[in-house]
Amino acid sequence: MRRRYTATILIASLLIASLMGVLVHAQEETPNIPEYDIIIVRNDDLIDYIAVQPYAKLLNVPVLPVNPQGLDEKTWAQLYSYVQLGWKKVLIVGNSNAVSKEVEDELLKMGYSVTRIGGDVRTETAEKLAVHFYPSGSKAVVLASALDYGSALAASKFAMEYELPMLLTLENDLSEHAIAGLSNLKPNLVIIVGTGINQTIETKLKNMGYQTYWLGRTVEKPPVSPPEEPSPYTYSFIGAILALVIAVPVVLYWAKKKWYSHKIPVEVLTEKERIVVKALIEQGGKVKQEDLPDLTGYSRPTVSRIIQELEKKQLVEREKVGKTFIVKLVKEIDLREY
């Protein structure tokens, strides 16, 4: 029974440790990134939908386009069903002109916790999103035109694959919000995507000290790489180490408990018997009977009587050697608390 119980403890420890390994993995993947269950954007203009895609991919959450003036019946029912699933955190992209206050109020009434990120113009919204999701900055930033939807879509795809923030700018000049975003994100590299941006913007970026790469125009491969998928063996190894950390003390505890369960409890002995048994243990479990009076302080008749009682309890046995007896302790006796 104890073996089965110990095995159960081991299995449970392994499962817990594996889960801890997964949690460690998850924490390593998304440090300091805000958490949301769903992202809401306006359905009458694609630019906010495009701009938020890299961050939806980062969080692995859906993006739901809605009527900016109010929720229709089907959308309301869909959002309400999400609440029943435990989805409570909503991010609205855009200011109240993009997604109205009425929509936000309806979400609050459903029980959602609502965060809104948006600016007066699309370049400002893109900048706020980038800084919000990359509060510690980024080694590289993707830049596209705010008016060229094709380029913005390609930039969004690139940012998704490489897990990078995306900024939007004007066609002929670097927007003030793109400059602010670059200042906050502190990248070394700016990756320009599409043909909707004037050459003067790249020149300005270089003059500001940024390395640039123009996707589709530069021949060389981008000087960045997509995030590497961690090997499953890495986290299996972490799980195994954690399992050992948890399981070893548990096994030792049960082994120790099992060991002591085979010992005779000290309570079965009288006070004098305990003194004699203690003397036997201190002598390695075997001693001449004639030496016990000196070891215990009892008289020979008293020692003889105690030995007889211990023999009746099958705790010791005597072996005649010459003119004396050798007294042997034949069972383990737990004297830990004595």
Side-chain angles (χ1 to χ4, degrees), residues 56-99:
K57 167 69 164 45
L58 197 64
L59 299 178
N60 194 28
V61 299
V63 179
L64 180 64
V66 303
N67 186 319
Q69 301 307 318
L71 301 177
D72 58 56
E73 185 176 341
K74 289 184 178 180
T75 304
W76 189 95
Q78 183 179 4
L79 285 166
Y80 187 74
S81 69
Y82 293 157
V83 175
Q84 311 310 308
L85 294 174
W87 297 11
K88 294 295 181 69
K89 296 182 180 179
V90 171
L91 171 64
I92 296 178
V93 177
N95 63 13
S96 57
N97 292 325
V99 178

Side-chain angles (χ1 to χ4, degrees), residues 183-257:
S183 176
N184 286 312
L185 295 168
K186 298 178 174 58
N188 297 318
L189 173 67
V190 178
I191 300 170
I192 304 170
V193 180
T195 58
I197 291 180
N198 193 286
Q199 179 71 44
T200 57
I201 291 179
E202 182 180 27
T203 302
K204 187 171 184 177
L205 288 168
K206 289 181 177 180
N207 291 337
M208 293 170 66
Y210 296 108
Q211 179 187 357
T212 63
Y213 177 90
W214 202 312
L215 190 66
R217 180 178 295 184
T218 307
V219 177
E220 295 83 6
K221 290 183 178 180
V224 292
S225 301
E228 293 184 3
E229 289 294 328
S231 169
Y233 298 108
T234 301
Y235 297 101
S236 297
F237 178 74
I238 293 174
I241 294 298
L242 290 172
L244 287 174
V245 171
I246 295 171
V248 168
V250 173
V251 172
L252 290 176
Y253 169 78
W254 284 106
K256 186 177 181 182
K257 188 172 182 180

Side-chain angles (χ1 to χ4, degrees), residues 56-326:
K57 167 69 164 45
L58 197 64
L59 299 178
N60 194 28
V61 299
V63 179
L64 180 64
V66 303
N67 186 319
Q69 301 307 318
L71 301 177
D72 58 56
E73 185 176 341
K74 289 184 178 180
T75 304
W76 189 95
Q78 183 179 4
L79 285 166
Y80 187 74
S81 69
Y82 293 157
V83 175
Q84 311 310 308
L85 294 174
W87 297 11
K88 294 295 181 69
K89 296 182 180 179
V90 171
L91 171 64
I92 296 178
V93 177
N95 63 13
S96 57
N97 292 325
V99 178
S100 68
K101 185 68 166 56
E102 287 74 12
V103 171
E104 181 177 348
D105 290 340
E106 288 186 76
L107 291 170
L108 290 171
K109 289 178 182 178
M110 288 185 204
Y112 281 106
S113 170
V114 179
T115 300
R116 183 189 288 270
I117 297 177
D120 293 333
V121 292
R122 57 188 61 182
T123 54
E124 184 180 6
T125 298
E127 178 251 325
K128 288 185 175 182
L129 285 171
V131 173
H132 180 70
F133 283 101
Y134 286 84
S136 300
S138 176
K139 61 183 179 181
V141 169
V142 179
L143 181 68
S145 168
L147 300 176
D148 182 356
Y149 283 25
S151 296
L153 187 60
S156 179
K157 172 67 172 173
F158 188 91
M160 288 169 62
E161 290 185 357
Y162 285 75
E163 293 188 2
L164 296 173
M166 185 175 82
L167 296 173
L168 297 175
T169 185
L170 306 175
E171 291 182 319
N172 297 317
D173 193 14
L174 197 60
S175 68
E176 61 176 307
H177 302 298
I179 293 173
L182 291 170
S183 176
N184 286 312
L185 295 168
K186 298 178 174 58
N188 297 318
L189 173 67
V190 178
I191 300 170
I192 304 170
V193 180
T195 58
I197 291 180
N198 193 286
Q199 179 71 44
T200 57
I201 291 179
E202 182 180 27
T203 302
K204 187 171 184 177
L205 288 168
K206 289 181 177 180
N207 291 337
M208 293 170 66
Y210 296 108
Q211 179 187 357
T212 63
Y213 177 90
W214 202 312
L215 190 66
R217 180 178 295 184
T218 307
V219 177
E220 295 83 6
K221 290 183 178 180
V224 292
S225 301
E228 293 184 3
E229 289 294 328
S231 169
Y233 298 108
T234 301
Y235 297 101
S236 297
F237 178 74
I238 293 174
I241 294 298
L242 290 172
L244 287 174
V245 171
I246 295 171
V248 168
V250 173
V251 172
L252 290 176
Y253 169 78
W254 284 106
K256 186 177 181 182
K257 188 172 182 180
K258 184 177 180 181
W259 169 260
Y260 282 115
S261 68
H262 289 289
K263 292 188 175 184
I264 305 300
V266 70
E267 288 77 14
V268 304
L269 303 176
T270 65
E271 183 66 26
K272 291 183 178 180
E273 288 172 346
R274 295 178 191 183
I275 297 295
V276 172
V277 167
K278 184 179 180 183
L280 280 167
I281 292 174
E282 290 174 349
Q283 297 300 312
K286 182 170 66 174
V287 69
K288 291 181 180 180
Q289 184 170 330
E290 62 186 25
D291 293 336
L292 282 172
D294 293 333
L295 295 172
T296 61
Y298 296 141
S299 65
R300 289 179 180 273
T302 300
V303 167
S304 179
R305 188 167 56 253
I306 293 171
I307 294 298
Q308 289 174 6
E309 291 298 321
L310 290 173
E311 282 183 312
K312 291 178 182 178
K313 294 177 180 179
Q314 298 182 343
L315 300 179
V316 301
E317 61 182 22
R318 287 188 291 180
E319 178 184 353
K320 188 170 180 60
V321 177
K323 296 182 179 181
T324 187
F325 286 97
I326 300 296

